[in-house]
Amino acid sequence: MLSLLSSLVSLLFLFLIPCLFITSYIWFPVFLPKLLGLIKFKAARDDHDNEKRDEGTCVVREEELQRELMPRHVAFILDGNRRWAKQHGLLTEQGHQAGAIRFIEIAELCFELGIHTVSAFAFSTGNWGRDEDEVKWLMSLFQHQLKSNIQYFHRNEIRVSVIGNQTNIPEPILQRIHEIEETTKGYKNKHLIMAIDYSGRFDIMHACKSLVKKSEKGLIREQDVDEALIERELLTNCTDFPSPDLMIRTSGEQRISNFFLWQLAYTELFFSPILWPDFDKDKLLEALASYQRRERRFGCRV
Ligand SMILES: *[C@@H]1O[C@H](CO)[C@@H](O)[C@H](O)[C@H]1NC(C)=O
Ligand SMILES: *[C@@H]1O[C@H](CO)[C@@H](O)[C@H](O)[C@H]1NC(C)=O
């Protein structure tokens, strides 16, 4: 065992010492932790998939779902990235990164299943209160995600909208957001909505302000105000299906946390104990099966 170890170590050095000369000393200490981090990150993501295979649990199959009962809009609260990172001994940023990768995977699955609109509460107004570095990193992650996925959005004809209070979003990111919204707005069948610096109360307040302005200009009167009019002022007016049929929140929290408030009035809620980066296809199918078993009443007695 010891000899095996020592030969391994010497082999490693034989490989590493030339590396030290080829590359600079400064670069090397930066590179190694990054590489180790990457290996750990990959292992953490694979870990979960392997564990599940071992369990061999019975899962819902895609064919068991009824296409005609698919929700048209599914909203997600992506919760648990930080806890996931901690659990795997990774950095918080890596948790968010794993969460972002997972979100694109899950959105893709939703679209394949015929769901029209997928929305995500990616960054709440309350998140500005977090550690400055984490916020900065989250912002650069959004920028990176938007940039690296633009081809994907076009190839799959996905319309992208970003909603929320945009005053605090750094200018380069805002520009990219507008660019993506503009170039994808013609796509009709798949709609991805990212709520960034969004809060349900902000949305309603924003709508009120807009209505008051219109009233001051004499464009509307009191008797014109109804639900449809308010709905047209909410930030979800960008989609054909502003009210989610199903909302999924991960990581065991059972709260709305100031996400859609008006829009969730008749939404079916699904809470999963799974941390978001581990929320995979099986979990999604499970949530959809649960949704399809429910009898929706929209406030009426049946
Ligand atoms: C939007 O964000 C800015 C900057 O933080 C803030 O001053 C403003 O009050 C926010 N708007 C609303 C309606 O919350
Ligand atoms: C949608 O809502 C936003 C925010 O209130 C508003 O600025 C915009 O004019 C609305 N769009 C339409 C088509 O009504």
Side-chain angles (χ1 to χ4, degrees):
M1 186 65 197
L2 210 65
S3 68
L4 184 72
L5 200 71
S6 70
S7 52
L8 259 175
V9 168
S10 41
L11 206 71
L12 199 68
F13 272 91
L14 269 180
F15 171 72
L16 287 181
I17 288 167
C19 277
L20 286 181
F21 288 101
I22 298 165
T23 63
S24 76
Y25 282 91
I26 307 157
W27 181 71
F28 177 67
V30 180
F31 171 71
L32 192 62
K34 255 200 174 157
L35 182 68
L36 290 177
L38 203 69
I39 293 170
K40 257 165 83 182
F41 177 74
K42 181 93 185 52
R45 273 176 53 84
D46 291 348
D47 231 19
H48 164 74
D49 293 342
N50 291 337
E51 256 168 42
K52 226 187 41 230
R53 230 166 279 138
D54 294 344
E55 276 170 32
T57 44
C58 148
V59 289
V60 179
R61 280 174 305 128
E62 209 173 307
E63 307 83 70
E64 289 170 39
L65 294 175
Q66 290 172 266
R67 282 255 160 183
E68 61 282 8
L69 287 183
M70 271 308 164
R72 287 151 307 170
H73 177 174
V74 181
F76 290 93
I77 298 184
L78 317 176
D79 205 3
N81 291 343
R82 294 208 284 187
R83 256 172 288 165
W84 182 87
K86 211 166 174 189
Q87 237 175 44
H88 292 281
L90 296 168
L91 303 170
T92 305
E93 291 87 73
Q94 290 173 306
H96 290 310
Q97 194 181 357
I101 296 172
R102 183 63 81 187
F103 177 62
I104 294 294
E105 282 171 16
I106 290 292
E108 192 172 357
L109 281 167
C110 287
F111 293 136
E112 276 170 21
L113 290 166
I115 294 163
H116 181 280
T117 299
V118 175
S119 58
F121 199 22
F123 187 88
S124 77
T125 301
N127 286 156
W128 289 112
R130 285 191 185 171
D131 175 44
E132 195 183 328
D133 281 343
E134 190 183 342
V135 171
K136 250 193 214 152
W137 204 88
L138 268 170
M139 284 298 150
S140 71
L141 180 66
F142 286 137
Q143 192 171 16
H144 177 75
Q145 284 296 320
L146 289 175
K147 193 171 161 188
S148 62
N149 284 309
I150 185 133
Q151 302 283 350
Y152 163 77
F153 295 139
H154 283 296
R155 209 174 40 245
N156 292 284
E157 308 203 334
I158 297 169
R159 178 175 176 198
V160 180
S161 301
V162 177
I163 59 172
N165 181 357
Q166 302 195 327
T167 31
N168 263 341
I169 300 196
E171 187 53 37
I173 303 186
L174 213 54
Q175 251 175 16
R176 192 160 286 281
I177 287 173
H178 291 151
E179 194 184 302
I180 292 193
E181 285 183 331
E182 224 21 63
T183 54
T184 60
K185 75 174 180 205
Y187 301 139
K188 295 272 181 273
N189 298 321
K190 300 170 189 170
H191 196 168
L192 191 69
I193 301 176
M194 306 285 288
I196 297 178
D197 198 0
Y198 176 89
S199 87
R201 288 185 178 177
F202 164 75
D203 199 356
I204 292 171
M205 205 161 65
H206 193 262
C208 290
K209 282 180 193 251
S210 168
L211 287 177
V212 169
K213 268 190 219 147
K214 283 184 181 169
S215 158
E216 282 169 352
K217 282 188 201 150
L219 295 172
I220 51 167
R221 293 157 307 161
E222 187 211 325
Q223 56 268 41
D224 297 329
V225 179
D226 57 10
E227 290 192 9
L229 184 77
I230 293 175
E231 211 145 86
R232 279 202 296 279
E233 295 295 333
L234 293 172
L235 295 169
T236 38
N237 65 7
C238 58
T239 162
D240 296 335
F241 305 105
S243 301
D245 302 292
L246 172 65
M247 190 204 79
I248 298 174
R249 180 170 191 161
T250 52
S251 99
E253 308 293 349
Q254 305 198 351
R255 292 186 287 265
I256 306 293
S257 298
N258 211 350
F259 191 23
F260 295 142
L261 292 177
W262 174 282
Q263 295 89 336
L264 290 178
Y266 296 115
T267 302
E268 297 294 329
L269 308 177
F270 185 88
F271 298 104
S272 165
I274 304 292
L275 300 179
W276 174 254
D278 287 337
F279 192 88
D280 58 8
K281 183 174 182 176
D282 289 346
K283 300 288 175 242
L284 176 70
L285 295 180
E286 187 187 322
L288 292 171
S290 156
Y291 167 81
Q292 294 198 341
R293 281 194 299 269
R294 301 183 194 185
E295 186 185 352
R296 303 193 66 200
R297 299 187 179 193
F298 300 96
C300 310
R301 278 170 177 273
V302 211

